[in-house]
Amino acid sequence: MAPASTLLRAAAPAPHAHTSFPSHHTPTSSSNRTTITNTNPSANSTSSTPLHRIQTIAKHMALPQTTSFPAEVVPQAPEDPLFGLARAFKADPSPQKVDLGIGAYRDENAKPWVLPVVKKADEIIRNDPEANHEYLPIAGLASLTSKAAELVVGASAPAIAEGRVASIQTISGTGACHLGGLFLSRFYNPYGDASKKPTVYLSNPTWANHNQIFSNVGLPIAQYPYFDQKTKGLDIDGMKKALSDAPERSIILLHACAHNPTGVDPTLAQWREIAEIMAAKGHFPFFDTAYQGFASGDLDRDASAIRLFVELGFELVVAQSFAKNFGLYGQRAGCFHFISAPSPDAASITTRVASQLTLLQRSEISNPPIYGAKVASIVLNDPALFAEWKENLRTMSGRIIDMRKALRAKLEELGTPGPWNHITDQIGMFSFTGLNEKQVAKLREEFHIYMTKNGRISMAGLNTKNVEYVARAVDKVVREVQ
């Protein structure tokens, strides 16, 4: 007998028997209805039951067991490296294991930390008799997006007062990058030829997800030099040359602060040099800000690059995440901002862009999620809670800075072949250690220390209980493995 799935398919009409006018659309009128009487005395026998007839037909109509998605069309995708690393760490039974891979804050006991101010916002939501789970508007929670824009450009910025900022709530920073890429792919046509898409230039290295986010919306990608392997700092000359050589009006993806994965940021003077080249070439800035306040502990300092470009009159976009600085990783709260350049038509341009962003959002997610947005909104709109949030940010950034100092000090005390000053020169959650792939593998195999293959470590995974263990392991591996 054919498989059950085949029987179900066989029960449907054959393709040539399909009609556009089935009976429920064109019922027969009672005056013209013809009654057919079956006079066969064996009509009620077992051999004539509907199931028997279907089984008989199925024997003659069995379709081949095939798929429209063979392996050469849909190959097995590789596991995401970061989530694969997390899975391997979780499965490791060693009591000494250390997770330096995950991009999430951990406290002194290597546990997730719910910010105290977030707990207070949670309590406010739970005790609100008007709280509900209704849909948000397509553009999101207005009390969040308005304050999020102020956080990025400054509450007193002319761009806010002049109506030059369009903001829309997104699925964290990833969703903001995607929405921005989708908008630019659809509407940014700098060469007057819709078939010629502008290239998005990404730093080398960058957050791995940037590559597929922009590729998936049909934008070609290229790289500009960023990390200097010798100094473990910024390759400012290589970066400037690449931006100068890039085709005019290219899209340049810039990390606003706490560059992921290197932890290397340009100085404000270097940002001015970058801005000067981009203005001369007519490049379009696309800022990704995932660590505002988390990097230095100062919200304004961490927004200084974006604010500089806005003050210089650039038209630009910003993808903003509240995952790291609020600890709202799983709540997926973020915003996308379009900021128009100063002009008589700026407000009109911003309104039109906002309308198209809303249209794109409608077909993508319809409405953004509400809970994380409410948490962030409550904090951003309450002066006392906002002040407490800034203190929470200083707690997180301060602990990470302390761990940078401790790791560097221990490595230098051990005389580990270095130098190691880049550990404290870099900023934010991540550090590019300079360890190579073989050394990373050895650390995992022998010491159960987990980090990405390129030697990037999450400083949040270090604490006073494991930093010496990690330093001694690195010292041993650096001496033994080249």
Side-chain angles (χ1 to χ4, degrees):
M1 182 182 294
S5 60
T6 302
L7 294 179
L8 291 174
R9 288 196 297 270
H16 66 271
H18 173 73
T19 175
S20 297
F21 309 97
S23 60
H24 62 278
H25 285 162
T26 54
T28 305
S29 66
S30 58
S31 61
N32 294 326
R33 186 178 296 121
T34 301
T35 301
I36 300 176
T37 303
N38 190 339
T39 58
N40 186 345
S42 63
N44 295 324
S45 68
T46 302
S47 63
S48 298
T49 62
L51 177 60
H52 177 77
R53 291 196 296 274
I54 289 173
Q55 290 171 337
T56 301
I57 293 170
K59 291 179 181 179
H60 300 285
M61 294 182 60
L63 296 175
Q65 298 301 301
T66 186
T67 177
S68 297
F69 308 102
E72 59 269 20
V73 175
V74 185
Q76 180 67 41
E79 183 177 33
D80 182 276
L82 283 176
F83 286 91
L85 189 69
R87 178 185 53 76
F89 173 81
K90 187 175 182 179
D92 189 335
S94 172
Q96 290 183 303
K97 64 182 181 180
V98 180
D99 183 6
L100 302 181
I102 189 67
Y105 182 76
R106 295 292 180 259
D107 65 13
E108 173 63 18
N109 297 308
K111 300 295 184 183
W113 191 53
V114 179
L115 275 62
V117 75
V118 167
K119 289 183 178 180
K120 290 183 179 180
D122 279 332
E123 194 67 23
I124 290 171
I125 294 170
R126 281 197 298 270
N127 293 328
D128 181 3
E130 301 297 322
N132 57 57
H133 300 284
E134 293 294 297
Y135 290 122
L136 284 177
I138 298 170
L141 188 64
S143 59
L144 169 67
T145 56
S146 60
K147 286 296 183 181
E150 292 179 6
L151 204 62
V152 168
V153 300
S156 60
I160 297 285
E162 296 165 7
R164 294 193 282 116
V165 183
S167 303
I168 188 165
Q169 185 187 331
T170 58
I171 306 295
S172 199
T174 304
C177 285
H178 169 72
L179 182 63
L182 189 63
F183 172 77
L184 292 175
S185 179
R186 184 76 60 86
F187 295 104
Y188 184 54
N189 182 16
Y191 310 123
D193 180 355
S195 66
K196 186 181 179 182
K197 298 289 187 183
T199 298
V200 180
Y201 279 79
L202 308 172
S203 64
N204 179 22
T206 191
W207 179 46
N209 214 16
H210 280 149
N211 295 278
Q212 55 196 16
I213 286 172
F214 292 104
S215 295
N216 285 350
V217 296
L219 290 172
I221 58 175
Q223 292 182 323
Y224 59 84
Y226 191 84
F227 186 70
D228 188 321
Q229 291 288 349
K230 292 181 179 179
T231 67
K232 307 297 187 295
L234 178 65
D235 181 4
I236 184 63
D237 292 332
M239 179 180 181
K240 287 161 55 178
K241 184 178 187 305
L243 298 184
S244 295
D245 292 343
E248 291 185 354
R249 306 193 71 185
S250 295
I251 301 166
I252 312 298
L253 192 288
L254 300 164
H255 298 233
C257 66
H259 183 274
N260 179 5
T262 69
V264 174
D265 287 348
T267 64
L268 192 56
Q270 289 171 331
W271 276 120
R272 288 188 179 277
E273 295 176 43
I274 292 165
E276 183 179 340
I277 293 170
M278 290 182 61
K281 295 286 293 189
H283 293 327
F284 189 91
F286 192 129
F287 278 98
D288 186 356
T289 179
Y291 300 94
Q292 186 180 356
F294 190 98
S296 68
D298 186 324
L299 289 164
D300 294 323
R301 176 182 171 184
D302 292 346
S304 59
I306 298 173
R307 294 179 184 181
L308 171 66
F309 275 65
V310 173
E311 289 166 7
L312 291 174
F314 279 90
E315 182 174 63
L316 55 84
V317 296
V318 180
Q320 180 185 33
S321 169
F322 293 119
K324 305 295 193 299
N325 55 13
F326 270 98
L328 294 173
Y329 303 100
Q331 297 298 339
R332 314 310 292 143
C335 289
F336 177 77
H337 308 280
F338 169 85
I339 303 164
S340 62
S343 76
D345 299 327
S348 173
I349 293 168
T350 304
T351 299
R352 286 189 287 103
V353 169
S355 72
Q356 292 296 339
L357 288 171
T358 302
L359 198 63
L360 292 174
Q361 174 112 312
R362 174 63 169 159
S363 65
E364 291 275 314
I365 63 169
S366 194
N367 312 81
I370 193 170
Y371 195 81
K374 279 187 173 181
V375 170
S377 173
I378 287 170
V379 174
L380 294 176
N381 284 278
D382 184 295
L385 293 179
F386 185 75
E388 184 175 347
W389 177 49
K390 291 196 288 186
E391 190 59 41
N392 291 170
L393 288 169
R394 284 190 286 270
T395 296
M396 291 190 289
S397 61
R399 199 188 80 75
I400 287 177
I401 290 170
D402 288 344
M403 287 303 101
R404 287 184 179 277
K405 293 176 181 177
L407 179 60
R408 176 185 174 180
K410 194 62 187 179
L411 289 170
E412 292 178 342
E413 177 187 322
L414 293 169
T416 308
W420 297 99
N421 60 289
H422 58 280
I423 298 293
T424 52
D425 291 343
Q426 295 167 5
I427 193 171
M429 180 172 286
F430 301 112
S431 178
F432 234 38
T433 61
L435 297 171
N436 62 41
E437 194 168 330
K438 290 182 180 180
Q439 292 167 337
V440 169
K442 182 71 170 176
L443 284 167
R444 176 172 166 177
E445 293 163 6
E446 185 172 339
F447 297 98
H448 307 275
I449 297 172
Y450 289 75
M451 65 186 71
T452 56
K453 291 191 297 183
N454 59 10
R456 185 202 78 170
I457 63 173
S458 172
M459 300 304 301
L462 292 174
N463 54 60
T464 56
K465 301 179 182 70
N466 64 23
V467 68
E468 182 171 350
Y469 174 74
V470 170
R472 290 189 179 279
V474 169
D475 178 73
K476 186 173 186 294
V477 167
V478 168
R479 295 179 189 278
E480 294 178 357
V481 181
Q482 300 304 315

